[in-house]
Amino acid sequence: DLEGGLYVIRGPDGTNYHPTNLPEAFRRDGLSVEADVIRRDDMASIGMVGPIVDVVRIRRVEEEAGGG
């Protein structure tokens, strides 16, 4: 079986990062997070959305009222 879905973390510059180990609690569309990651140039993926990364630390951040 081939799984086709994935989650990405979008950086402030618009870069999409493909996390290899995103915790289940953070697998929600539109969730604002702050994350420390390690880039994995030794890995490849069929997702082709951006650099593959391992999440070292992640936390939810609240968006400012009136912000977009």
Side-chain angles (χ1 to χ4, degrees), residues 21-56:
N21 60 337
L22 187 65
E24 185 72 32
F26 292 93
R27 296 179 185 184
R28 293 187 29 221
D29 291 338
L31 185 65
S32 293
V33 300
E34 180 180 284
D36 292 331
V37 299
I38 297 173
R39 189 172 169 138
R40 295 293 307 268
D41 291 328
D42 61 325
M43 296 180 75
S45 167
I46 64 169
M48 299 189 301
V49 295
I52 297 172
V53 296
D54 287 338
V55 176
V56 176

Side-chain angles (χ1 to χ4, degrees), residues 6-29:
L6 60 94
Y7 285 90
V8 299
I9 298 173
R10 181 168 296 140
D13 64 353
T15 301
N16 290 324
Y17 297 92
H18 178 175
T20 62
N21 60 337
L22 187 65
E24 185 72 32
F26 292 93
R27 296 179 185 184
R28 293 187 29 221
D29 291 338

